[in-house]
Amino acid sequence: MTRSSTPSRPKVLYVEDEVIVALDVADGLALDLGYEVSMAHNLTTAFEMTKTIAFDYALLDLNLGHGERSITLGEMLAKKGTHVVFASGYNREEINEIADYLMIEKPFQIEDVARAFKSKGQY
């Protein structure tokens, strides 16, 4: 039995409550950028995924449906060493709670996500 020579792809947790947007962005993350994507549409599912998967990156929609916000999830992932990027339709000045994190404004292009994942400072 031989070991696969295929290198493992970086793992991304993508949390987005809008299903059509989520499918489009997940395709871009996987097909255009080469990430292994785990997608969740709510916090319950996302937190469950973090119990069994160590993510390299997280792209988190800040405001999810039904009043859910992904800030606590992002903080927990960052403590585990995950590179966290929030996405929001609001501009950075309106969201003080994530001042220490990268954020991209919606609508965004997949290239914006790639730059944010490579960035270590504010985007």
Side-chain angles (χ1 to χ4, degrees):
M1 181 181 233
T2 61
R3 232 186 261 196
S4 171
S5 62
T6 305
S8 68
R9 299 183 302 159
K11 292 178 175 62
V12 174
L13 173 60
Y14 177 42
V15 182
E16 169 63 62
D17 62 316
E18 297 289 333
V19 176
I20 299 300
V21 171
L23 293 172
D24 185 45
V25 173
D27 278 350
L29 289 168
L31 302 175
D32 298 340
L33 302 180
Y35 294 109
E36 183 179 321
V37 181
S38 296
M39 188 171 29
H41 301 294
N42 58 57
L43 289 178
T44 301
T45 303
F47 275 110
E48 282 299 313
M49 290 176 167
T50 67
K51 292 178 182 177
T52 57
I53 303 170
F55 292 101
D56 301 295
Y57 300 94
L59 177 59
L60 309 176
D61 181 9
L62 181 63
N63 293 309
L64 303 169
H66 310 290
E68 288 186 324
R69 295 185 86 190
S70 62
I71 295 169
T72 303
L73 174 64
E75 291 170 339
M76 185 267 300
L77 287 166
K79 286 178 185 172
K80 290 183 171 187
T82 302
H83 187 72
V84 175
V85 176
F86 287 97
S88 178
Y90 296 99
N91 66 46
R92 176 167 282 291
E93 291 75 34
E94 296 177 279
I95 310 167
N96 294 328
E97 302 98 328
I98 62 167
D100 294 336
Y101 295 91
L102 293 168
M103 189 193 97
I104 55 176
E105 290 184 26
K106 290 180 168 184
F108 58 80
Q109 301 296 316
I110 202 67
E111 294 81 15
D112 299 324
V113 178
R115 281 192 297 277
F117 280 176
K118 289 179 183 172
S119 175
K120 294 299 179 193
Q122 258 190 9
Y123 178 74

